């Protein structure tokens, strides 16, 4: 039996559907858990708030594709007003616009989650079979030489000069054409996003996907969920229609992504019984540094990050606990002209001077491994939409300054003639004295311009409802048939790009849901 | 100057905006002007409706875009890259909270000069004065003016340099596959809602 995708135009009337499992969200978590449940023989319905944009609708236009694929068109920020929240809003979720970096979860992180947060059943032995299967299905492999653009070569060679360790970044792609449009969706289907892997596989196994449907209200009684009320969104206006979809299921899986899952459960009134709901939230703040080179870099072609510096992945602390350095991955950056221009902190003719030399602009970016004692939280606006409050605590600020300094050093080692930090005020680096100035950079609103591509937490996993939201079977504490399967269950950030961790965890979740249904 | 003396760390973003807008409103009244309102209707320009931005918004945004983009002759203008129209479109499809933030930011920007030592509103300053003010806001030690200037600059530069009219200037060779634009349902709806009225 083959399933299908229903879109807003297919749902002209309110309707009700029945299924074994209703999955809310279709990104790395939702699509993977759905595919696995279909493999187990269950009937699955997936609800996706965003639209269905098949590959044939991709045009590589920066603004057109940002509007189709990015929630709030990449114009929503955290409460600091400067950290841009990046997430997907389409069938396939953020995987359709991600870079395809696909790391296994570092063992030290799995041990931290086990030892400090009480996570069980998600050790190396539990996840390895899933990763073996996923890596084969998604063609995950270290980037080959031909996929090193000039920026990647510079980062590889410059970091070697500085004696910083690094490695080829594992890529979920096959037969890549080097277009440089990973963030606009891959027209060649070379990037193995959920849209071209687990989604069609789930459909082939009978899954029904309802795009343009916003999950609203869970009906909860006697400790279990019986149904879900959802609203059909009118995609052309991005406004709710009067049409409703009611889903009755034996199990419900929230996989709306790190920015949305906790907020959905909060809107359903679960915060009083789950005090950690929305807490322990991280998003890998990602400062960028640009360099103007004497040679062509052409940042916008080939793959974004073929090579990454992992030398500083784990933060180092002194014996008395003071921060020393590290706590981030450092990567080559890739930006198309609009976002590149937006990240250059200059005005008028000086900004234009850089943009006229765009072919010679190189850029780096780093993901801060959110400090576990300085995490943020999700809250709700009056209209029920979510907001992200992130404190940028003292250690996080030190990490950011260290990451910026290391990026500046790297650009210097690579031969950049001029160096700028992406932010509000123009921070240029020409001398050692300028390097020292980084130590006093004010990490506050509008000071730095950062992306936040990797949300984690909000529905953290752990042994009980006082300190966590879901147990180690992904089940929400106190509710027999409500599960969470996305990055929101991570107790902390992953310290590497999280897609493979999300998918591995979703394999574990699917097995527990299958056990419950059986 | 009033803003520079406020310690905003203890204030929420919205409370501070409210306080500043109250000051701006008083300053506007004293200058014989009219404080803008979030209830102002969307503008109509060249026979085409806007859906979000009011006439006042367009004036402030145009003045801001002129100040942060290259001087005439050094690159295309904000008119050639259709920034105001595209921002109106983007804002129509985002959450109401994002629209409200833009509305508040434009209000504060327009009246910010009056509470920081100038005698004219932002859109009435000369271009050099606007650029200097934006630079001061970007380096301010206070969060709100810095965040507003940076957010608006981000949006203007993003929309401007994503437009094909800038590609000759930047030597950008365009999207890899040279595909015809695939307009989404939302782009088509926006065009339909804002088509020229006779």
């Amino acid at each position: 039996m083959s399933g299908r995708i229903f879109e807003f135009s297919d749902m002209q009337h309110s309707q009700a559907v029945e299924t074994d499992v209703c999955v809310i969200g279709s990104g790395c978590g939702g699509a993977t858990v759905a595919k696995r449940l279909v493999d187990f023989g269950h009937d699955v319905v997936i609800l996706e708030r965003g639209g269905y944009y098949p590959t044939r609708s991709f045009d590589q236009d920066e603004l057109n594709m940002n509007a189709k694929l990015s929630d709030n068109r990449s114009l929503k920020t955290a409460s600091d007003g400067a950290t841009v929240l990046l997430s997907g809003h389409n069938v396939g979720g953020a995987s359709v616009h991600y870079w395809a970096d696909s790391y296994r979860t570092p063992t030290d992180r799995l041990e931290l989650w086990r030892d400090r947060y009480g996570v069980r059943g998600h050790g190396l032995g539990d996840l390895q079979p899933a990763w073996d299967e996923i890596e084969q299905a998604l063609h995950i492999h270290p980037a080959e030489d031909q996929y090193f653009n000039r920026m990647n070569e510079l980062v590889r060679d410059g970091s070697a000069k500085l004696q910083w360790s690094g490695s080829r970044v594992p890529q979920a792609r096959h037969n890549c054409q080097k277009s440089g449009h990973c963030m606009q969706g891959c027209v060649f289907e070379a990037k193995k996003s959920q849209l071209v892997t687990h989604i069609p596989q789930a459909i082939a196994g009978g899954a029904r996907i309802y795009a343009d449907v916003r999950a609203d209200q869970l009906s909860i009684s006697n400790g279990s969920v019986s149904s879900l009320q959802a609203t059909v969104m009118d995609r052309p206006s991005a406004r709710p229609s009067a049409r409703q979809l009611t889903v009755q299921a034996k199990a419900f899986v929230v996989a709306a992504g790190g920015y949305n899952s906790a907020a959905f459960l909060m809107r359903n009134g679960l915060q009083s019984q789950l005090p950690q709901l929305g807490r322990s939230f991280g998003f890998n703040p990602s400062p960028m540094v640009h360099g103007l080179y004497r040679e062509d870099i052409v940042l916008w072609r080939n793959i974004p990050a073929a090579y990454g510096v992992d030398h500083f992945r784990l933060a180092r602390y002194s014996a008395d606990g003071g921060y020393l350095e590290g706590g981030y991955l450092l990567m080559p950056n890739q930006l198309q002209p609009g976002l590149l221009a937006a990240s250059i902190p200059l005005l008028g003719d000086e900004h234009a001077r850089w943009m006229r030399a765009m072919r010679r602009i190189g850029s780096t970016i780093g993901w801060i491994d959110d400090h576990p004692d300085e995490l943020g939280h999700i809250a709700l606006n009056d209209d029920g939409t979510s907001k992200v409050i992130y404190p940028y605590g003292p250690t996080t600020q030190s990490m950011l300054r260290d990451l910026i300094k290391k990026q500046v050093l790297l650009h210097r080692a690579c031969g950049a003639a001029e160096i700028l930090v992406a932010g509000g005020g123009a921070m240029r680096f020409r001398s050692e004295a300028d390097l020292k100035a980084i130590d006093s950079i004010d990490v506050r609103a509008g000071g730095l311009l950062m992306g936040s591509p990797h949300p984690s937490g909000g529905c953290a996993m752990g042994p009980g409802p006082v300190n966590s939201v879901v147990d180690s079977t992904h089940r929400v504490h106190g509710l027999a048939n409500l599960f969470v399967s996305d990055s929101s269950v991570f107790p902390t950030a992953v310290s590497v790009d999280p897609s493979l961790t999300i998918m591995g965890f979703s394999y574990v979740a699917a097995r527990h849901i299958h056990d419950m249904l059986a | 100057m009033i803003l520079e003396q406020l310690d905003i760390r203890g204030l929420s973003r919205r409370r501070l905006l409210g306080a500043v807008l109250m000051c701006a409103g008083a300053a506007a009244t004293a200058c014989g002007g009219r404080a803008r309102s979030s209830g102002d209707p969307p503008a109509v320009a060249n026979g085409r409706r806007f859906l979000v931005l009011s006439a006042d918004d367009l004036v402030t945004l145009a003045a801001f875009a002129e100040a942060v983009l290259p001087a005439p002759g050094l690159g295309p203008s904000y008119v050639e890259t259709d920034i105001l129209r595209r921002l109106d479109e983007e804002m129509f499809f985002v959450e109401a909270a994002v629209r409200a933030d833009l509305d508040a930011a434009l209000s504060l920007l327009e009246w910010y000069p009056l509470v920081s030592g100038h005698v004219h509103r932002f859109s009435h300053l000369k271009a050099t004065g606007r650029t200097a003010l934006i630079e001061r806001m970007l380096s301010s030690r206070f969060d709100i003016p810095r965040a507003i200037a940076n957010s608006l600059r981000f949006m203007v530069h993003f929309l401007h340099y994503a437009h094909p009219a800038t590609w000759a200037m930047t030597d950008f060779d365009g999207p890899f596959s040279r595909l015809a634009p695939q307009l989404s349902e939302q782009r088509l709806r926006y065009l339909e809602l804002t088509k020229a009225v006779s």
Side-chain angles (χ1 to χ4, degrees):
Chain A
M1 181 184 76
S2 180
R4 61 166 288 196
I5 295 181
F6 299 87
E7 302 180 67
F8 71 102
S9 51
D10 300 316
M11 293 177 274
Q12 294 301 319
H13 307 284
S14 293
Q15 57 186 295
V17 295
E18 285 185 44
T19 185
D20 293 338
V21 186
C22 173
V23 178
I24 302 165
S26 66
C28 284
T32 304
V33 80
K35 187 261 180 192
R36 288 296 290 165
L37 288 165
V38 164
D39 288 346
F40 285 130
H42 300 294
D43 184 55
V44 175
V45 160
I46 302 174
L47 307 184
E48 168 55 53
R49 186 170 54 106
Y52 171 53
Y53 296 106
T55 304
R56 64 178 179 277
S57 72
F58 296 175
D59 64 4
Q60 300 179 334
D61 179 278
E62 189 177 4
L63 290 180
N64 282 354
M65 294 311 302
N66 182 60
K68 290 173 184 170
L69 303 180
S70 296
D71 197 15
N72 279 295
R73 302 183 172 216
S74 307
L75 293 176
K76 184 174 178 176
T77 65
S79 58
D80 65 272
T83 312
V84 179
L85 306 181
L86 300 171
S87 64
H89 187 65
N90 50 281
V91 173
S95 73
V96 181
H97 72 217
Y98 81 155
W99 283 9
D101 303 352
S102 304
Y103 291 96
R104 293 188 176 199
T105 325
T107 303
D108 53 67
R109 193 53 43 117
L110 295 174
E111 291 170 352
L112 174 75
W113 292 346
R114 180 195 64 200
D115 297 340
R116 179 170 169 178
Y117 299 96
V119 172
R120 297 288 178 266
H122 292 77
L124 193 57
D126 304 294
L127 297 169
Q128 195 150 330
W131 287 333
D132 288 344
E133 188 174 315
I134 296 165
E135 285 173 350
Q136 187 171 13
L138 272 62
H139 298 271
I140 295 172
H141 63 284
E144 301 102 329
D145 286 350
Q146 63 169 317
Y147 295 112
F148 279 63
N149 65 14
R150 186 61 186 136
M151 194 66 230
N152 276 277
E153 290 175 348
L154 288 171
V155 167
R156 179 193 60 199
D157 299 344
S159 59
K161 270 189 218 170
L162 294 164
Q163 298 187 307
W164 297 347
S165 61
S167 57
R168 294 168 187 261
V169 178
Q171 298 291 312
R173 62 180 80 235
H174 179 62
N175 198 24
C176 173
Q177 301 298 302
K178 309 176 188 174
S179 72
H181 288 292
C182 292
M183 289 179 69
Q184 286 76 49
C186 182
V187 301
F188 306 105
E189 299 190 346
K191 186 176 74 173
K192 297 304 172 189
S193 74
Q194 299 300 304
L195 181 67
V196 297
T197 54
H198 289 155
I199 290 286
Q201 290 164 12
I203 291 172
R208 289 165 285 168
I209 299 180
Y210 291 83
D212 309 300
V213 170
R214 185 189 68 195
D216 292 330
Q217 192 64 46
L218 296 166
S219 293
I220 300 173
S221 60
N222 299 322
S224 69
V225 180
S226 56
S227 67
L228 169 67
Q229 197 73 21
T231 299
V232 178
M233 301 296 292
D234 175 55
R235 194 192 305 169
S237 67
R239 267 67 171 171
S241 76
R243 302 185 293 279
Q244 298 284 302
L245 181 69
T246 306
V247 185
Q248 290 188 308
K250 297 169 188 164
F252 292 83
V253 185
V254 183
Y259 285 117
N260 297 304
S261 287
F264 169 73
L265 295 177
M266 291 164 81
R267 284 193 292 274
N268 274 274
L270 294 176
Q271 199 159 23
S272 58
Q273 66 194 74
L274 297 164
Q276 291 305 309
L277 189 57
R279 299 278 160 185
S280 305
F281 181 81
F283 56 8
N284 280 184
S286 305
M288 296 174 271
V289 174
H290 305 314
L292 193 56
Y293 287 80
R294 295 178 180 85
E295 59 175 318
D296 279 359
I297 303 296
V298 190
L299 200 61
W300 58 89
R301 290 285 181 250
N302 214 326
I303 73 173
Y307 187 85
V309 176
D310 50 25
H311 191 88
F312 304 104
R313 182 177 65 82
L314 295 177
R316 292 198 305 113
Y317 297 89
S318 63
D320 62 2
Y323 174 79
L324 293 174
E325 70 170 353
Y328 45 78
L329 287 187
L330 201 170
M331 299 281 191
N333 199 2
Q334 181 166 76
L335 296 166
Q336 295 288 320
L339 274 181
L340 176 60
S343 66
I344 292 176
L346 298 168
L347 302 179
D349 297 347
E350 182 62 357
H351 187 277
R353 181 175 73 85
W354 271 68
M355 289 308 294
R356 272 195 297 276
M358 192 173 76
R359 295 182 69 84
R360 294 190 286 115
I361 295 177
S363 183
T364 53
I365 188 168
W367 331 131
I368 291 284
D369 181 24
D370 307 67
H371 190 283
D373 297 331
E374 296 180 357
L375 295 172
H377 68 277
I378 303 265
L380 297 182
N381 291 309
D382 293 342
D383 64 359
T385 55
S386 64
K387 56 184 171 185
V388 173
I389 294 96
Y390 195 80
Y392 285 110
T395 304
T396 308
Q397 295 205 18
S398 297
M399 286 178 173
L400 284 166
R401 292 189 190 100
D402 188 54
L403 171 53
I404 290 167
K405 189 178 286 187
K406 294 297 193 316
Q407 290 185 80
V408 171
L409 289 171
L410 182 56
H411 277 287
R412 285 173 53 171
C414 296
E418 297 180 49
I419 301 172
L420 277 174
V421 175
M427 287 177 273
R428 296 165 185 266
F429 299 95
R430 299 187 181 94
S431 66
E432 291 300 319
D434 292 335
L435 262 183
K436 285 194 174 61
I438 296 173
D439 294 330
S440 56
I441 283 179
D442 207 4
V443 184
R444 290 196 295 149
L448 292 173
L449 177 69
M450 289 183 279
S452 53
H454 307 139
S456 63
C459 302
M461 183 176 286
V466 174
N467 296 315
S468 61
V469 175
V470 301
D471 65 22
S472 290
T473 70
H474 291 249
R475 191 191 318 249
V476 175
H477 292 302
L479 290 164
N481 64 343
L482 181 61
F483 297 81
V484 180
S485 185
D486 59 25
S487 66
S488 68
V489 305
F490 302 155
T492 69
V494 187
S495 82
V496 294
D497 304 63
S499 60
L500 200 49
T501 305
I502 299 168
M503 288 185 261
F505 269 50
S506 297
Y507 267 56
V508 176
R511 182 166 48 78
H512 288 297
I513 296 164
H514 169 63
D515 289 346
M516 186 210 79
L517 293 170
Chain B
M1 294 302 176
I2 294 170
L3 251 191
E4 301 300 325
Q5 291 162 13
L6 278 174
D7 178 2
I8 68 167
R9 287 171 192 245
L11 289 175
S12 75
R13 199 171 164 209
R14 293 212 181 272
R15 283 179 60 201
L16 176 76
L17 277 173
V20 171
L21 291 175
M22 202 163 67
C23 294
T29 304
C31 295
R34 183 182 71 86
R36 60 197 302 142
S37 159
S38 60
D40 285 352
V44 176
N46 300 323
R48 284 183 67 197
R49 295 170 57 207
F50 283 74
L51 300 184
V52 175
L53 301 174
S54 68
D56 284 347
D57 291 335
L58 296 181
V59 170
T60 305
L61 270 169
F64 186 90
E66 276 180 351
V68 301
L69 293 176
L74 294 178
S77 71
Y78 73 92
V79 177
E80 291 167 89
T81 54
D82 215 10
I83 289 176
L84 306 184
R85 177 62 64 183
R86 193 62 186 245
L87 184 59
D88 187 63
E89 178 179 336
E90 299 293 311
M91 283 293 145
F92 182 70
F93 294 108
V94 297
E95 285 176 6
V98 179
R99 282 195 292 275
D101 277 353
L102 177 69
D103 186 59
L106 290 173
S107 294
L108 187 138
L109 174 68
E110 181 64 15
W111 296 106
Y112 185 76
L114 298 181
V115 293
S116 61
H118 293 77
V119 294
H120 295 296
R121 293 151 47 176
F122 180 80
S123 59
H124 291 195
L125 294 174
K126 291 180 179 173
T128 51
R130 275 179 266 144
T131 305
L133 184 75
I134 293 166
E135 283 175 341
R136 279 211 344 251
M137 291 174 77
L138 286 170
S139 59
S140 168
R141 61 197 175 96
F142 296 107
D143 286 5
I144 296 291
R146 205 172 53 228
I148 286 172
N150 195 37
S151 297
L152 292 172
R153 185 200 62 74
F154 176 93
M155 285 191 281
V156 167
H157 280 150
F158 178 38
L159 300 178
H160 185 74
Y161 284 99
H163 194 283
T166 62
W167 293 351
M169 169 192 169
T170 59
D171 202 15
F172 178 54
D173 49 353
F176 183 82
S177 300
R178 308 288 193 275
L179 299 166
Q182 298 275 329
L183 298 191
S184 67
E185 297 86 351
Q186 292 176 0
R187 295 225 66 194
L188 294 170
R189 175 63 61 88
Y190 183 84
L191 288 171
E192 179 191 332
L193 292 174
T194 61
K195 65 186 176 190
V197 290
S198 55

